[in-house]
Amino acid sequence: MGTSKLFTVLGNRQYDEAQYSLKGKTSSKVKCAPLALLELINWDGGVKVVAFLTDEAERIHKSYLSKELEKKGHELVIVKIPFGANEEELWTIFRSITENVEQQDQVAVDVTHGFRSLPILMVAALLFLKEAKDLKLTGLFYGALEAGPREDSPKPIFELTRLIDIVEWAHAVRIFRRYGHFDHIGRILARIQDEIQKQGLSLERPQMLKKLGMALEKISLLLYQGLSLELGKAAYELKNIDLERV
């Protein structure tokens, strides 16, 4: 089991205090979104907050972050990064992200602050780490600082985790079209039901999505192994899944 981590990038300026809201919950007033996420997400124990900062950003934010995280019982790790102004600096940031993930870490990512190019780089690194180190992405979050009916209203935090799923779907479809394997599609379907049931993401929750996904995985494996008798039985089981309840 890996470590619970929260990745964030902070820019080279001071931020005003604000409240943030996520899924009906509202945080206390904080100066940056990652501190709000520590209140708004259910964590199992202490969290290692990994802040990717330039030298100037470290000078501005280190003292405040350290004090707030110590009060909340969380750990702060500061990782120095360049601006990302050219390809060499972008690769340096990419390596910094990958070097701060261990096998099976559970990572939430905040992309509220910092340069707008960095969320794209962060997503690319996450996709790589999900395969290379079996990273468990617990959420991709963006605090909309300009949103809200009034200036003093809580700032909504948007969960963008499904953007990662879209890329995974594209990869699964490519594998199916190129090689005829649909075990990747099956795994995604099975995982989606587990996540929806766990997080309560839908009022009408799927009942048979996981069963459909596991059936597709099984058929794909039997096709690969050339086991025709077992394949026929698995195909019959797939046919009898009630797709109306998926």
Side-chain angles (χ1 to χ4, degrees):
M1 195 69 172
T3 303
S4 294
K5 295 178 179 178
L6 173 60
F7 282 10
T8 189
V9 182
L10 300 179
N12 297 346
R13 67 180 182 86
Q14 292 280 1
Y15 301 118
D16 296 328
E17 282 195 335
Q19 289 180 292
Y20 292 84
S21 62
L22 176 67
K23 297 180 181 178
K25 296 169 63 178
T26 301
S27 74
S28 60
K29 281 192 173 184
V30 292
K31 287 187 178 180
C32 51
L35 294 177
L37 287 170
L38 291 172
E39 300 178 22
L40 300 175
I41 300 176
N42 293 323
W43 304 90
D44 294 327
V47 178
K48 182 180 287 188
V49 178
V50 183
F52 298 89
L53 308 176
T54 63
D55 288 336
E56 180 67 10
E58 181 182 18
R59 184 189 66 79
I60 294 171
H61 301 292
K62 180 179 178 179
S63 177
Y64 173 72
L65 279 177
S66 298
K67 290 177 183 177
E68 292 300 312
L69 292 174
E70 186 177 358
K71 285 191 295 185
K72 298 174 187 292
H74 302 298
E75 178 185 354
L76 173 64
V77 175
I78 291 178
V79 179
K80 294 282 195 67
I81 60 170
F83 284 99
N86 53 53
E87 186 173 345
E88 182 180 354
E89 291 188 352
L90 290 173
W91 277 114
T92 298
I93 298 171
F94 184 88
R95 284 193 296 271
S96 296
I97 296 169
T98 59
E99 288 169 359
N100 281 276
V101 173
E102 302 298 331
Q103 288 290 332
Q104 296 188 331
D105 275 351
Q106 303 167 64
V107 180
V109 179
D110 163 56
V111 295
T112 303
H113 309 288
F115 296 126
R116 295 300 88 197
S117 58
L118 293 179
I120 300 173
L121 183 57
M122 189 73 76
V123 167
L126 292 173
L127 290 167
F128 170 75
L129 290 166
K130 281 172 69 70
E131 300 298 328
K133 294 188 177 180
D134 196 21
L135 174 146
K136 311 298 181 187
L137 180 64
T138 55
L140 178 64
F141 301 97
Y142 170 70
L145 293 169
E146 285 76 34
R150 300 189 314 274
E151 188 174 336
D152 60 346
S153 298
K155 310 305 179 186
I157 292 179
F158 302 149
E159 183 168 0
L160 308 176
T161 317
R162 296 303 155 211
L163 295 179
I164 303 294
D165 290 344
I166 293 172
V167 179
E168 290 190 343
W169 272 108
H171 175 68
V173 171
R174 182 169 70 246
I175 293 296
F176 172 67
R177 294 181 64 184
R178 183 171 296 179
Y179 305 111
H181 298 165
F182 38 81
D183 51 325
H184 290 71
I185 295 175
R187 280 195 291 272
I188 293 173
L189 290 173
R191 192 192 72 223
I192 287 173
Q193 176 168 326
D194 285 341
E195 291 178 352
I196 291 175
Q197 298 286 3
K198 180 180 179 180
Q199 300 178 25
L201 297 176
S202 173
L203 293 176
E204 189 175 345
R205 300 180 185 179
Q207 303 297 317
M208 305 295 288
L209 203 57
K210 186 171 185 177
K211 188 173 183 179
L212 174 61
M214 292 174 67
L216 290 173
E217 279 193 77
K218 184 177 181 180
I219 289 175
S220 187
L221 178 62
L222 293 172
L223 278 169
Y224 178 75
Q225 295 174 333
L227 300 174
S228 56
L229 291 177
E230 290 84 351
L231 178 60
K233 181 180 178 182
Y236 179 78
E237 293 173 353
L238 174 62
K239 180 182 177 182
N240 288 327
I241 291 178
D242 184 1
L243 297 180
E244 295 291 330
R245 298 179 59 208
V246 167

